[in-house]
Amino acid sequence: MTQPASAPAGTAAANPAASPDASPDAATLAAFQAAKGFMPVDEGVALYAAAVDAATALRLPLLEVGTYCGRSTILLAAAARAAGTVAVTVDHHRGSEEQQPGWEYHDPEVVDPEVGLMDTLPTFRRTLHAAGLEDHVIAVVGRSPRAAAVWGGPVGLVFIDGGHTDEHATADYEGWTPHLAPGGLLVIHDVFPDPADGGQAPYRVYRRALASGAFAELSVTGSLRVLRRTAA
């Protein structure tokens, strides 16, 4: 899940490994903008560039934690399609903490009237169908730590954009980064150094990744951080 970027747009640092032309085509960008979700266009373009970088270099699956309605999945799927690989997106589709009734980002349009709970899966499927990208995505419906525990192979990119509590963000980081191949990219969304701009759990995960010595930062765009795995 993504939140509206309340912080001022960050300065985008150049990614020396990514092609300067790694931007989504008009159809992909239009599908991204039409999809329900919160990621701003500049951060979406940066995510797409990272996905192209990872997919082209490694030809491994691109892994997303936090599908919501598929806005960012479109970008990963388009990059995967071009490189002949696949995007894998993991979500229980019941919404994260801040999307529940009574909270700021609750959307009653994605509540299942029969069970009274959020269910973003139907909207996600419509999003992929409209974008023509269904064949390039594997959707895993379930809790991220459980999916990570049974995942059996390397991935070329891990995009952390799920729950924004320390419990969930930490579990996503600890569950999926062991599967990230050397040279692969770790992308973290909603990184706000200033607590006034947003929750701190993604920021703490980002700082932990840098402090580990296993990652080098490649780019900053708004609240999106792109890091490359340099060590095990």
Side-chain angles (χ1 to χ4, degrees), residues 2 7 16 18 26 28 36 57 73 95 109 112 114 131 142-143 153 161 167 175 182 189 195 210 216 223 226 228:
T2 58
T28 300
K36 186 185 289 290
T73 315
E109 291 185 356
D112 182 339
E114 184 171 334
R143 300 282 174 178
D161 195 21
E167 175 189 1
H189 195 219
L210 289 178
S223 71
V226 180
R228 188 179 304 282

Side-chain angles (χ1 to χ4, degrees), residues 3-178:
Q3 297 173 319
S6 53
T11 301
N15 178 347
S19 164
D21 299 322
S23 56
D25 61 29
T28 300
L29 186 59
F32 168 79
Q33 291 179 290
K36 186 185 289 290
F38 309 106
M39 179 177 278
V41 171
D42 62 338
E43 294 180 8
V45 170
L47 174 62
Y48 179 81
V52 169
D53 178 345
T56 302
L58 299 174
R59 310 286 174 171
L60 291 171
L62 310 176
L63 188 286
E64 173 182 53
V65 180
T67 313
Y68 191 50
C69 295
R71 185 175 172 95
S72 54
T73 315
I74 288 171
L75 303 174
L76 300 182
R81 176 179 60 187
T85 184
V86 67
V88 179
T89 185
V90 182
D91 201 314
H92 50 70
H93 288 281
R94 294 301 189 194
S96 53
E97 305 78 17
E98 63 273 24
Q99 293 176 332
Q100 302 308 314
W103 289 81
E104 184 176 0
Y105 301 113
H106 179 63
D107 184 349
E109 291 185 356
V110 292
V111 173
D112 182 339
E114 184 171 334
V115 301
L117 298 173
M118 288 189 62
D119 186 0
T120 55
L121 183 57
T123 304
F124 163 66
R125 296 205 66 178
R126 289 193 291 269
T127 297
L128 283 190
H129 177 75
L133 290 166
E134 288 180 291
D135 290 343
H136 306 282
V137 176
I138 297 172
V140 178
V141 181
R143 300 282 174 178
S144 168
R146 294 185 178 182
V150 300
W151 186 264
V155 297
L157 177 144
V158 170
F159 176 40
I160 297 179
D161 195 21
H164 288 65
T165 64
D166 281 303
E167 175 189 1
H168 292 134
T170 299
D172 293 339
Y173 175 80
E174 293 179 349
W176 288 106
T177 55

Side-chain angles (χ1 to χ4, degrees), residues 164 166 190-206:
H164 288 65
D166 281 303
D190 294 326
V191 174
F192 297 115
D194 186 344
D197 295 323
Q200 293 295 283
Y203 176 67
R204 283 188 278 269
V205 165
Y206 157 73

